[in-house]
Amino acid sequence: MPEKEYRYIATCQWQEAKKGLLILDGKPDLTVATPPEFGGHEGLTNPEELFVASAAVCLMSTFTAMSAKTRAEWKSFSCQAEGLLEQVPGQGFLFTRLELRPRVEVASPDQIEPAGKALELAKKYCLVTNSMKSEIVMHPEVVVI
């Protein structure tokens, strides 16, 4: 049995065609749809984007926790995430690779090492990417501003 467990609930209600409403408890509803390349709607958030975005957001959250452990002092954090969706014979479409490009800005050179260590720990402990079966590749960047 797990020592701790948490539950997160998301509800999707179909509205019309290939469009629905994503309902997350206590948050604004989000109109979501099938992406245009699969006959869906232009300009709406799709599950493929949410999948990729969840990795970037989780890496950011984990980095903020790990930077406290490494005593990293940083000025800004951003992370671009890119997912590769491929049609795999016998399996349909799968995200086969996710590339994360976190960028951390620090105020002095002595903060490069602790920020870099925090990024390494964030990759190791990011629960979302650890739960994905896609290959996860990280291209970290720490710069002095």
Side-chain angles (χ1 to χ4, degrees), residues 35-105:
E37 55 270 23
F38 295 112
H41 302 268
E42 192 73 46
L44 296 176
T45 303
N46 60 64
E48 292 80 358
E49 291 170 323
L50 292 169
F51 179 83
V52 173
S54 69
V57 173
C58 188
L59 188 71
M60 178 193 69
S61 299
T62 309
F63 171 78
T64 61
M66 294 302 138
S67 65
K69 293 184 183 301
T70 65
R71 294 184 170 85
E73 296 174 14
W74 45 279
K75 298 295 182 185
S76 72
F77 175 95
S78 63
C79 182
Q80 179 191 58
E82 179 180 350
L84 177 61
L85 184 66
E86 295 184 290
Q87 191 166 14
V88 178
Q91 298 183 65
F93 281 96
L94 296 175
F95 277 100
T96 56
R97 182 180 175 98
L98 207 64
E99 295 201 32
L100 301 170
R101 292 177 182 83
R103 177 184 165 94
V104 178
E105 293 181 345

